Amino acid sequence: MTSSPNQTFPQQRFGLGGLNIVHPLFHGTSPISIDRHSMSLMERKCMVLRRMEYVNRRGLPLFSPRCVTIKSLPDNVLLDIFDFCRMATSSPQWWYELVHVCRTWRYVVFASPHRLNLRLECNAETPVKDILSVWPQDFPIVIDEWCSQLSFNGVNIISALKRHDRICEIKLWGITSPLLEQLAKVMQEPFPVLTDLHLEFYKTSAPVLPDTFLGGSAPRIRRLILWGIPFPALPKLLPSCHGLVDFRLWKVPNTGYISPEAVAKCLSALTNLRRLDIGFESPASRSDQRTRVPPPLKHLILPALTHLEFHGASEYFEDLAARIDTPALSFVKTEFFNQLAFDIPQFVQFIGRTEIPVSFKEAKLLFMDSYAYIKLGHLDSSTSPPRNSLDVLSIGISCCAFDWQISGLAHICSQFFPLFANVGQLDIRHDGWLPWDWQDNIDRVQWLELFHSFIPVQNLHMESGADALVLPTEQLTGKGVMEVLPALRSIYCQGTLNDDNYMEAILQPFTTARQLLNQPVTFNHGMV
């Protein structure tokens, strides 16, 4: 439905950013005064566009002293300017003030609701009944709210959700248990125009979403994000989501467990999917080997998937990786719960089945208080990978014990050894706290096993706090120094001067021994 120039709204006083517009609504047609010193960047661009259009039509110099009024512009030029304003912001409310400037502007805006993507935003403070009775009834509704404030009241949110035929986006962060229970009840009707659903629950024991959530169908949804919310009936909903592009299940509690074979079966209908994130809250996400269904001989192909993230048990990801192929994959990030051994042959084969070149130039090892990971990538824009290549592969371990972090990463790296063939730079960093007796818990053999995967490395970068990581070098003598990074040529240390001097003193026996073997290694202060 569009608005006619004579349609009336309550008269108000509005400001358009820094323009400080005072205009009698629906009655006056006087030119608008502009204070250029208080204009935002977007408003300055709009003014330039208006002047350029005026110059083109009238053939006047760009800085003509003649006054140009807003009312001299035709409707199509105004529409172009308004469309430019839309592209310059992500707020659904960008058009609210425009329609209160004058009748002409309001008519131009309301005459092109699809081009200008006109939407109404509702939150906890929005008087939904009043707003929806004033604005055109065919405008889609966006619900966007942070729900964890002490003063939060979900009455208006629930009222807006009852207009299920108009809701296009739902974004609710920090949902409380009472609100989630109300959502589960009121959202059992179909939402035919819903394109974006984003719900986040940060506490424990979240209510389970019912089988009838969204009426069991979401044909137009493109983005689905559930954080900490159990939805075991999700496999029944996903086959209807043919246009889904972004799908994220994160912090899935035990009550929302979905088997890897059920996930793979659902993905078969999502041929447009570009991003897939799956993360579990506890190690109980491990697949039950007694009821595990063997993977099919033919893999499911996800032709558009470029981004994949996983957090959970390695057995779960192994089972999922054995069922899918992702020929266009460019980003992979996994973090496994701690366990004694990480045997991931299906993961290795999954990467090997990628139909794009895999040639990493840089590896990063990061050790923190509760996890460690290795990240394979490319150095910088000057050595960026070719298009359609695997840009990033990150594999992490959720583990607090420093020695377990080292042994776990060593085991993982040994299985991906072919991917290290062209790695010329290794970055090592330790962020966090180490116990006073950490050296007593580290076995030199563990370090050597980890470094054996980095035979081609020529440059070693260590940031401040990584002094714990040079332990294996200070115990090597004679030809034994060639066991650690045999191709190494340079060491760079980033930190304070005292840190650098300390690191250089510790590494001196190692660099001296390499010098005697005619395999010199230079030490450099600061990063290159």
Side-chain angles (χ1 to χ4, degrees):
M1 184 179 88
T2 60
S3 173
S4 66
N6 296 323
Q7 183 175 346
T8 61
F9 294 85
Q11 184 167 330
Q12 300 180 39
R13 178 188 181 99
F14 288 88
L16 181 59
L19 288 177
N20 190 25
I21 299 173
V22 180
H23 196 90
L25 299 183
F26 325 123
H27 301 292
T29 57
S30 59
I32 298 174
S33 175
I34 298 178
D35 179 7
R36 299 183 183 181
H37 297 287
S38 61
M39 296 175 67
S40 67
L41 177 60
M42 182 182 73
E43 292 157 355
R44 289 174 185 266
K45 291 179 178 179
C46 291
M47 186 184 72
V48 171
L49 286 176
R50 290 195 293 265
R51 177 169 289 278
M52 291 178 64
E53 177 64 22
Y54 184 85
V55 168
N56 290 337
R57 288 190 298 107
R58 299 297 180 88
L60 296 175
L62 183 60
F63 297 99
S64 170
R66 295 181 56 180
C67 176
V68 179
T69 61
I70 294 293
K71 67 176 183 179
S72 66
L73 298 177
D75 290 355
N76 65 315
V77 175
L78 285 174
L79 182 59
D80 289 339
I81 295 173
F82 296 160
D83 198 24
F84 180 86
C85 295
R86 175 189 62 83
M87 293 185 291
T89 179
S90 60
S91 173
Q93 305 182 35
W94 68 272
W95 57 273
Y96 284 17
E97 292 171 328
L98 292 181
V99 300
H100 286 92
V101 172
C102 65
R103 289 176 295 176
T104 300
W105 284 30
R106 184 173 65 258
Y107 178 77
V108 170
V109 169
F110 284 172
S112 302
H114 296 293
R115 176 178 174 179
L116 298 179
N117 194 24
L118 302 184
R119 299 173 296 169
L120 299 175
E121 183 175 31
C122 295
N123 52 45
E125 299 179 355
T126 304
V128 175
K129 294 182 179 180
D130 297 338
I131 293 296
L132 297 185
S133 63
V134 171
W135 298 110
Q137 297 300 304
D138 57 349
F139 282 10
I141 300 173
V142 174
I143 298 177
D144 191 341
E145 185 59 273
W146 182 269
C147 308
S148 61
Q149 301 98 324
L150 294 177
S151 59
F152 174 77
N153 187 331
V155 173
N156 286 323
I157 297 293
I158 299 301
S159 297
L161 285 170
K162 293 180 180 179
R163 307 297 182 101
H164 56 89
D165 58 329
R166 296 177 57 186
I167 304 292
C168 66
E169 292 184 14
I170 303 174
K171 300 177 183 179
L172 299 175
W173 291 268
I175 301 174
T176 61
S177 291
L179 178 59
L180 186 56
E181 291 177 352
Q182 294 182 67
L183 292 178
K185 293 179 181 179
V186 77
M187 295 184 66
Q188 296 190 34
E189 297 287 341
F191 282 66
V193 298
L194 183 65
T195 61
D196 192 329
L197 177 61
H198 188 154
L199 305 177
E200 296 196 5
F201 183 94
Y202 302 137
K203 299 182 180 179
T204 57
S205 303
V208 178
L209 295 181
D211 294 6
T212 54
F213 187 70
L214 296 180
S217 177
R220 295 189 60 181
I221 197 164
R222 293 180 55 83
R223 190 167 181 254
L224 175 59
I225 301 176
L226 298 178
W227 176 296
I229 298 177
F231 190 13
L234 184 61
K236 299 179 181 179
L237 175 70
L238 287 180
S240 68
C241 307
H242 302 291
L244 192 61
V245 173
D246 188 346
F247 177 37
R248 309 182 206 178
L249 287 180
W250 213 246
K251 290 290 183 180
V252 179
N254 296 338
T255 53
Y257 177 82
I258 303 173
S259 67
E261 54 266 23
V263 171
K265 186 177 180 180
C266 296
L267 294 178
S268 62
L270 309 181
T271 55
N272 297 310
L273 190 65
R274 299 176 187 172
R275 175 167 182 168
L276 172 63
D277 294 4
I278 301 178
F280 292 92
E281 196 172 39
S282 72
S285 60
R286 290 187 172 92
S287 300
D288 190 344
Q289 299 301 314
R290 297 170 298 178
T291 59
R292 178 177 177 270
V293 178
L297 296 177
K298 187 176 181 180
H299 299 103
L300 166 68
I301 298 178
L302 300 176
L305 192 70
T306 60
H307 187 114
L308 175 63
E309 293 192 35
F310 176 82
H311 181 257
S314 62
E315 296 92 338
Y316 190 103
F317 189 77
E318 279 285 284
D319 206 348
L320 181 61
R323 302 172 185 275
I324 61 175
D325 277 351
T326 54
L329 198 63
S330 63
F331 182 96
V332 183
K333 181 179 181 180
T334 62
E335 184 174 334
F336 299 132
F337 290 120
N338 184 36
Q339 55 195 69
L340 294 177
F342 293 92
D343 293 320
I344 47 177
Q346 294 295 339
F347 190 4
V348 176
Q349 295 177 33
F350 169 72
I351 296 297
R353 293 195 301 269
T354 304
E355 298 178 0
I356 51 181
V358 179
S359 180
F360 297 111
K361 304 297 183 182
E362 178 187 33
K364 294 182 179 181
L365 292 172
L366 174 63
F367 299 88
M368 301 190 72
D369 291 340
S370 58
Y371 72 92
Y373 72 77
I374 177 169
K375 179 179 179 182
L376 297 173
H378 303 271
L379 292 173
D380 50 44
S381 58
S382 63
T383 58
S384 59
R387 295 186 64 182
N388 299 323
S389 69
L390 184 59
D391 298 339
V392 176
L393 173 60
S394 176
I395 308 173
I397 305 171
S398 295
C399 175
C400 296
F402 194 31
D403 55 336
W404 282 37
Q405 292 180 357
I406 297 173
S407 62
L409 287 184
H411 192 193
I412 290 174
C413 290
S414 65
Q415 298 176 75
F416 282 99
F417 183 76
L419 300 183
F420 295 84
N422 296 312
V423 173
Q425 178 172 308
L426 174 62
D427 294 358
I428 303 179
R429 188 175 70 192
H430 181 271
D431 289 340
W433 173 84
L434 284 174
W436 64 272
D437 60 345
W438 65 268
Q439 297 191 46
D440 298 333
N441 298 323
I442 301 297
D443 186 352
R444 181 174 68 91
V445 176
Q446 293 177 331
W447 274 113
L448 294 179
E449 290 178 353
L450 179 57
F451 283 142
H452 280 162
S453 298
F454 301 98
I455 294 176
V457 167
Q458 298 184 12
N459 299 314
L460 174 63
H461 291 189
M462 292 189 293
E463 295 190 14
S464 178
D467 53 291
L469 311 180
V470 300
L471 179 64
T473 62
E474 63 184 9
Q475 298 180 7
L476 296 175
T477 57
K479 294 185 178 180
V481 297
M482 296 304 296
E483 297 180 33
V484 178
L485 307 178
L488 188 65
R489 294 293 177 265
S490 301
I491 299 176
Y492 300 90
C493 182
Q494 181 183 30
T496 64
L497 183 60
N498 290 336
D499 292 333
D500 291 354
N501 292 336
Y502 171 68
M503 294 286 288
E504 186 174 14
I506 291 181
L507 291 169
Q508 186 174 6
F510 173 76
T511 55
T512 301
R514 292 288 292 260
Q515 181 73 35
L516 294 175
L517 294 173
N518 200 29
Q519 298 290 334
V521 176
T522 59
F523 186 91
N524 302 275
H525 296 276
M527 302 283 281
V528 293

